[in-house]
């Protein structure tokens, strides 16, 4: 490696030069920060400023650059130089926008800026220039698991961009449940009539596309490897096995309809004339546009009742607690089957909440014009007989009512085909809730992580963490529903369609297109040795000092993405292509032997220690904030953009994820004389918003034990706080800092100051 040469560049633009003594900052960078090259510039991000930096890199041998200007979230592309370690000192959002422009505050604001320059230089010195991941995978073929409308769309969209595709379907034909439909809900103007499913056209596209290879009557018996270099064993109906290599995987295994026979109180299983929505589709297809007949006697249906939310949006044991999304529009479509056949057929849709978002409203109004009746009510029972009786509570009149019908259609929900036994899970969760209630009554703790029953695995992963993709509640594949909806906790494997969340055909098509794009991004990044989202393009990867490893397994257990295995000697084996670069393993390591080239215990620790710490008599406290770069740090930036300010005694260090925080940083900060430490991470738990899934939750667990450390140091527990901060908390995040400043004022400065 070439000799390190650090250059610090101080920007005067955006008001920085007006509020700060940049000449003093340049002197600090040179004398204390050990920067060999130091330059000031009127506007560092303009063409001449960027050219100045490029010239120093090319002609002066600069390979470590400190940009003392705006937030690292601003001008990221402008200050992106190849083969250079780059550190950012946030003087704009983090200093001059965060503090008032009062003359009597000038000294402490200058001290704040000086510390950020020191911190930027200290970080840069400890950084290494990231190398490319040596564990490259160059295969760019996409595997799609599932031949329903989601899988077919994902295959077609991938092939359109020139990528080869393997499409594996467990049945003997493509189309999935959509192929069993008579018609579909319309997806384009005028949104007034049921439309053709389009499955025949999609099938023709796939059969004629040279980029798509189809395996029917096939399943995956083994999946191993990582992005760019997956190996899959495909077992066929004949008993043969084909081994194929692929770069990315799209899980589009679809759904299974909720078993209506579990709803006997709604007449299911007691009368042939009680069917679910797919049962009605079969009747409509059999009718071939003619009169739909009763299953019991073959007579023409003269009256039909649709029961919405049948066995879903329910708190009854074994039923689905969620909404399946498509059912309201599907019932409207099916009501039109009857009205289009004969306007005199009595069609009644009984609902508690009718959900037809977007252009579904036009479809709903079209059904109203055709004479479909919509009744707001809650069905309690369907009584079998020659004429079915639907007993319900009329929620408008607040009265009990009965609707009579030849046919009753139950709008049951979607159960994800995710390799989990949904019925067993629902029963286990009900038992767990009951146990929790009993335990609460008894004052006992209940294990939160008991293993849920599983079904048949679909991918059969060889990962140490198990054969399935991790699931969210109710069996849907895990994904970050806001930021990264297609990703799973297995890098390079993306889910789409109803296996990810309940949805209709239009949403499934859009979902599949998104998943295809993410899979393509993953294989391209893998070929270049770069990380996948959310740190897409990051060349760094984790390494560890084997001689210092205690084989505690905390890194392998805590990694949210299954990126760490173990060798025969039980040492960790890092799979760089699976790694998301969150640093959770680094935070987990008790002996601090895990690091990244540009992010390590030393890069953060040196920033913490790089601050010029006032003595205990100065009445200038120091508050350290370790803020998640994905939510908390942007929230603080946006707060100052909106003129919301916080204490000038604060020093903020962005971290990749709260899960990467090693408790030694907190201990070092307290020993160095910091008066307070705040950790700001993402929302954790069931509705997590952590970009790295478990990082915030893991950090909260770690920090729950920090009180013992504080007591050992004879410090008040109020000096360390851990918070969940959303990116929208632009009012709250600064308030938490100011709250800590007030706390320090009450309890006094740290006795550990020198």
């Amino acid at each position: 490696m070439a000799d390190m040469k650090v250059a610090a560049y101080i920007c005067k633009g955006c008001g920085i030069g007006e509020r700060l003594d940049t000449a003093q900052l340049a002197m600090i960078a040179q004398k204390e920060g050990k920067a060999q090259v130091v330059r000031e510039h009127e506007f560092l991000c303009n063409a001449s400023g960027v050219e100045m930096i490029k010239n120093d890199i090319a002609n002066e041998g600069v390979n470590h650059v400190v940009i003392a200007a705006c937030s690292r979230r601003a001008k990221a592309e402008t200050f992106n130089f190849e083969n250079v370690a780059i550190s950012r000192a946030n003087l704009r959002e983090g200093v001059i926008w965060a503090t008032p422009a009062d003359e009597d505050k000038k000294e402490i604001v200058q001290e704040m800026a000086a510390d950020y320059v020191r911190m930027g230089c200290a970080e840069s010195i400890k950084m290494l220039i990231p190398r490319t991941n040596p564990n490259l995978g160059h295969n760019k073929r996409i595997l799609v698991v599932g031949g329903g409308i989601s899988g077919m769309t994902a295959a077609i969209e991938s092939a359109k961009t020139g990528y080869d595709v393997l499409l594996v379907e467990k049945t003997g034909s493509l189309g999935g449940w959509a192929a069993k439909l008579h018609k579909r809900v319309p997806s384009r103007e005028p949104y007034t009539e049921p439309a053709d499913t389009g499955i025949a056209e999609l099938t023709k596209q796939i059969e004629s596309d040279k980029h798509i290879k189809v395996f029917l009557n096939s399943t995956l018996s083994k999946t191993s490897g990582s992005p760019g270099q997956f190996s899959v064993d495909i077992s066929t109906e004949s008993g043969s096995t084909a081994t194929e290599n692929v770069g990315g995987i799209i899980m589009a295994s679809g759904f299974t309809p909720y078993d209506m026979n579990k709803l006997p109180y709604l007449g299911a299983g007691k009368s042939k004339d009680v069917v679910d929505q797919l049962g009605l589709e079969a009747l409509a297809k059999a009718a071939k546009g003619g009169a739909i007949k009763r299953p019991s006697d073959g007579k023409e249906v003269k009256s039909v009742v649709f029961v919405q939310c049948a066995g879903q949006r329910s708190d009854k044991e074994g039923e689905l607690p969620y909404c399946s999304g498509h059912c309201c529009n599907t019932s409207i479509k099916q009501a039109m089957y009857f009205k289009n056949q004969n306007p005199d057929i009595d069609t009644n849709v009984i609902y508690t909440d009718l959900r037809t978002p977007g252009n579904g409203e036009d479809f709903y109004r079209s059904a109203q014009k055709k004479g479909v009746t919509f009744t707001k009510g809650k069905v309690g029972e369907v009584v079998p007989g020659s004429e079915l009786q639907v007993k319900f509570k009329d929620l408008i009149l607040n009265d009990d009512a009965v609707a009579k019908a030849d046919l009753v259609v139950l709008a049951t929900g979607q159960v994800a085909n995710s390799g989990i036994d949904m019925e067993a899970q629902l029963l286990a969760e009900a038992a767990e809730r009951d146990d929790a209630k009993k335990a609460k009554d008894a004052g006992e703790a209940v294990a939160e992580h008991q293993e849920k029953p599983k079904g048949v695995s679909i991918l059969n992963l060889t990962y140490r963490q198990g054969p399935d993709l991790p699931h969210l509640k109710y069996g849907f594949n895990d994904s970050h529903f806001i930021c990264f909806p297609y990703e799973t906790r297995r890098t390079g494997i993306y889910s789409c369609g109803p296996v990810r969340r309940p949805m209709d055909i239009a949403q499934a098509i859009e979902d599949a297109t998104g998943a295809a794009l993410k899979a393509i991004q993953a294989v391209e990044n893998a070929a270049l040795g770069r990380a996948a989202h959310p740190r897409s393009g990051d060349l760094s990867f984790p390494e560890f000092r084997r001689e210092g490893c205690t084989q505690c397994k905390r890194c392998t257990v805590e990694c949210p993405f299954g990126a760490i295995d173990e060798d025969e000697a039980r040492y960790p084996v890092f799979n760089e292509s699976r790694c998301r670069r969150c640093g959770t393993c680094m935070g987990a390591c008790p002996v601090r032997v895990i690091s990244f080239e540009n992010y390590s215990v030393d890069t953060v620790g040196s920033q913490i220690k790089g601050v010029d710490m006032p003595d205990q008599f100065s009445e200038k406290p120091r508050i350290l904030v370790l803020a998640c770069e994905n939510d908390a740090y942007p929230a603080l930036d946006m707060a100052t953009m909106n003129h919301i300010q916080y204490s000038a005694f604060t020093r903020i260090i962005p971290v990749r994820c709260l899960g990467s925080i090693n408790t030694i940083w907190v201990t070092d900060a307290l020993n160095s004389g910091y008066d307070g430490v705040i950790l700001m991470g993402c929302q954790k738990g069931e509705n997590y918003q952590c970009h790295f899934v478990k990082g915030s939750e893991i950090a909260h667990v770690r920090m729950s034990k920090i009180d013992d450390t504080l007591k050992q140091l004879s410090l008040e527990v109020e000096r360390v706080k851990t918070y969940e901060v959303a990116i929208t908390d632009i009012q709250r995040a600064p308030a938490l800092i100011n709250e800590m400043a007030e706390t320090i004022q009450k309890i006094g400065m740290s006795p550990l100051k020198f």
Side-chain angles (χ1 to χ4, degrees):
M1 180 180 172
D3 291 338
M4 181 186 300
K5 190 166 186 178
V6 180
Y9 299 93
I10 318 292
C11 183
K12 294 183 179 181
C14 297
I16 294 173
E18 298 167 16
R19 290 278 310 276
L20 302 175
D21 183 348
T22 56
Q24 186 208 28
L25 298 180
M27 187 179 298
I28 287 172
Q30 183 179 22
K31 291 187 175 180
E32 298 182 43
K34 309 299 182 187
Q36 293 98 317
V37 176
V38 179
R39 304 191 195 282
E40 299 175 56
H41 196 276
E42 293 300 322
F43 280 97
L44 200 56
C45 62
N46 70 13
S48 65
V50 173
E51 190 59 35
M52 176 182 70
I53 298 172
K54 288 182 177 179
N55 183 65
D56 287 345
I57 292 170
N59 302 316
E60 299 292 332
V62 168
N63 51 21
H64 283 63
V65 171
V66 180
I67 305 292
C70 47
S71 168
R72 65 173 61 194
R73 298 178 58 253
K75 307 294 182 181
E77 292 298 319
T78 302
F79 296 128
N80 182 26
F81 308 106
E82 291 186 2
N83 300 316
V84 173
I86 302 170
S87 178
R88 301 286 294 270
N90 189 355
L91 302 183
R92 188 179 69 175
E93 292 88 340
V95 179
I96 65 168
W97 288 1
T99 58
D102 300 342
E103 190 63 30
D104 60 342
K105 301 284 187 182
K106 190 170 184 178
E107 180 185 346
I108 61 172
V109 172
Q110 185 70 23
E111 289 173 355
M112 192 181 192
D115 274 345
Y116 277 124
V117 171
R118 292 185 185 100
M119 293 160 72
C121 291
E123 179 186 28
S124 184
I125 289 170
K126 293 294 183 178
M127 291 171 73
L128 298 176
I129 300 170
R131 297 165 290 158
T132 302
N133 172 13
N135 185 22
L136 295 181
H138 294 285
N139 193 307
K140 295 185 180 180
R141 187 159 55 163
I142 307 296
L143 167 68
V144 179
V145 182
I149 200 159
S150 301
M152 296 170 78
T153 302
I156 290 169
E157 295 300 327
S158 298
K160 279 181 181 178
T161 59
Y163 290 83
D164 291 331
V165 179
L166 293 181
L167 177 58
V168 177
E169 165 56 35
K170 67 180 180 181
T171 69
S173 61
L174 298 175
W177 290 110
K180 301 179 187 298
L181 302 181
H182 174 52
K183 296 283 184 180
R184 61 167 285 187
V185 174
S187 60
R188 56 177 61 91
E189 292 288 353
Y191 299 99
T192 54
E193 292 291 337
D196 187 75
T197 63
I199 292 298
E201 291 75 12
L202 288 176
T203 303
K204 287 178 183 177
Q205 276 186 262
I206 286 174
E207 290 173 347
S208 62
D209 197 315
K210 64 180 181 181
H211 289 292
I212 303 175
K213 181 179 180 181
V214 179
F215 286 84
L216 296 177
N217 294 310
S218 302
T219 57
L220 300 185
S221 54
K222 180 181 176 182
T223 303
S224 59
S226 57
Q229 47 194 333
F230 286 111
S231 175
V232 293
D233 289 351
I234 303 173
S235 297
T236 64
E237 190 179 41
S238 64
S240 63
T241 299
T243 300
E244 300 278 356
N245 296 316
V246 297
I249 300 173
I250 298 173
M251 177 89 154
S253 50
F255 74 98
T256 298
Y258 180 78
D259 184 0
M260 74 168 189
N261 290 315
K262 297 174 184 175
L263 307 171
Y265 65 94
L266 295 180
K270 294 184 176 181
S271 170
K272 292 181 180 179
D273 296 328
V274 177
V275 298
D276 61 10
Q277 289 180 321
L278 281 164
L280 178 58
E281 293 293 336
L283 295 176
K285 288 192 81 170
K288 298 179 180 178
I292 296 175
K293 307 293 181 61
R294 281 167 50 120
S296 60
D297 55 18
K299 293 182 179 179
E300 183 177 342
V301 174
K302 297 293 185 180
S303 60
V304 57
V305 170
F306 294 86
V307 178
Q308 298 309 106
C309 303
Q312 55 180 324
R313 296 183 66 206
S314 168
D315 56 5
K316 292 182 180 179
E317 186 175 296
E319 296 188 6
L320 305 180
Y322 53 83
C323 169
S324 291
H326 75 95
C327 316
C328 290
N329 274 329
T330 297
S331 289
I332 292 171
K333 173 196 72 173
Q334 293 181 335
M336 288 187 182
Y337 291 170
F338 293 96
K339 285 297 184 181
N340 288 345
Q341 168 205 321
N342 181 354
D344 293 329
I345 295 176
D346 183 21
T347 58
N348 188 1
V349 178
I350 302 178
Y351 67 94
T352 52
D353 298 290
L354 202 64
R355 297 179 171 182
T356 60
N359 293 107
E361 290 291 323
D362 296 333
F363 195 46
Y364 164 62
R365 280 190 285 270
S366 177
Q368 284 183 312
K369 290 176 182 177
K370 289 177 183 288
V372 176
T373 302
F374 292 91
T375 303
K376 187 172 177 63
K378 186 171 181 60
V379 176
E381 184 184 8
V382 175
V383 180
S386 57
E387 190 175 43
L388 299 166
Q389 295 185 53
V390 182
K391 297 183 177 182
F392 67 98
K393 181 80 170 182
D394 190 311
L395 298 178
I396 300 295
L397 301 176
N398 193 29
D399 197 9
D400 294 330
V402 177
K404 296 181 180 181
D406 296 331
L407 186 72
V408 170
V409 183
L410 304 181
T412 55
Q414 296 178 341
V415 179
N417 290 334
S418 57
I420 191 169
D421 186 335
M422 185 60 189
E423 180 181 9
Q425 189 195 39
L426 287 169
L427 291 173
E429 287 177 352
E432 187 177 317
R433 287 194 299 272
D434 189 49
D435 287 345
K437 184 177 183 300
K438 291 176 183 175
K440 184 178 180 182
D441 294 340
E444 300 171 356
V446 177
E448 294 180 359
H449 304 293
Q450 56 182 298
E451 186 176 351
K452 298 293 189 298
K454 297 276 181 87
V456 177
S457 179
I458 294 173
L459 293 179
N460 285 296
L461 298 168
T462 59
Y463 286 46
R464 177 189 183 278
Q465 294 78 11
D468 293 300
L469 296 178
H471 303 115
L472 284 171
K473 202 170 183 181
Y474 314 131
F476 294 103
N477 285 158
D478 198 355
S479 68
H480 191 295
F481 65 97
I482 295 177
C483 299
F484 309 110
Y486 316 107
E487 77 173 37
T488 71
R489 277 192 259 163
R490 299 296 171 254
T491 310
I493 304 177
Y494 301 87
S495 64
C496 66
V499 72
R500 188 177 73 77
R501 65 169 178 82
M503 61 181 70
D504 60 22
I505 288 177
Q507 291 169 323
I509 290 171
E510 183 178 312
D511 217 49
T513 304
L517 291 171
K518 295 306 291 188
I520 289 168
Q521 182 191 50
V523 299
E524 291 295 337
N525 275 327
L528 296 171
R530 305 189 310 192
H533 47 269
R535 295 190 60 83
S536 182
D538 191 343
L539 292 174
S540 70
F541 54 88
E543 295 181 301
F544 82 112
R545 288 189 295 106
R546 186 183 178 95
E547 66 275 11
C549 178
T550 61
Q551 302 167 300
C552 70
K553 294 189 178 183
R554 282 182 59 180
C555 58
T556 57
V557 171
E558 292 192 16
C559 174
F561 306 109
I564 309 174
D565 293 316
E566 294 162 9
D567 62 16
E568 296 80 3
R570 300 177 67 186
Y571 285 101
V573 176
F574 291 87
N575 189 314
E576 296 88 356
S577 295
R578 294 182 193 169
C579 175
R580 303 275 178 90
R581 279 64 167 179
C582 62
T584 298
C585 55
M586 186 177 84
C589 183
V591 289
R592 304 183 293 282
V593 297
I594 302 174
S595 64
F596 297 75
E597 294 98 332
N598 57 356
Y599 185 65
S600 66
V601 172
D602 281 347
T603 61
V604 176
S606 62
Q607 293 180 73
I608 292 171
K609 295 174 184 176
V611 169
D612 183 28
M613 187 64 61
D615 62 37
Q616 58 182 315
F617 305 108
S618 67
E619 297 185 0
K620 292 179 179 178
R622 289 292 179 263
I623 300 169
L624 173 66
V625 177
L626 298 171
C628 164
E629 69 178 8
N630 295 301
D631 277 60
Y633 196 69
L636 289 167
D637 274 354
M638 289 188 287
T640 59
M641 288 172 65
N642 284 275
H643 311 292
I644 303 168
Q645 299 172 339
Y646 50 79
S647 172
F649 299 126
T650 307
R651 305 295 182 261
I652 300 172
I653 299 176
V655 294
R656 291 186 178 182
C657 176
L658 217 61
S660 70
I661 293 179
N662 196 296
T663 52
I664 192 65
W665 292 340
V666 178
T667 304
D668 281 352
L670 295 171
N671 281 325
S672 298
Y674 282 89
D675 302 280
V677 179
I678 301 174
L679 279 66
M680 292 185 177
C682 303
Q683 181 175 320
K684 57 183 174 61
E686 184 179 312
N687 296 318
Y688 73 88
Q689 292 184 22
C690 175
H691 285 52
F692 298 106
V693 186
K694 291 290 184 181
S696 182
E697 181 179 316
I698 289 169
H700 276 75
V701 172
R702 287 184 201 145
M703 297 310 297
S704 67
K705 304 167 186 174
I706 203 69
D707 286 3
D708 292 337
T709 302
L710 290 164
K711 289 172 184 176
Q712 289 171 8
L713 295 171
S714 299
L715 294 173
E716 298 86 351
V717 295
E718 294 91 344
R719 293 190 186 273
V720 179
K721 294 289 183 182
T722 306
Y723 296 107
E724 297 175 51
V725 176
I727 196 170
T728 53
D729 283 341
I730 62 174
Q731 297 276 351
R732 178 170 169 263
L736 293 174
I737 294 174
N738 292 331
E739 198 176 285
M740 174 63 81
E742 291 173 7
T743 298
I744 292 168
Q745 192 172 13
K746 290 177 184 176
I747 64 178
M749 308 280 274
S750 170
L752 300 182
K753 288 183 181 292
F754 299 104

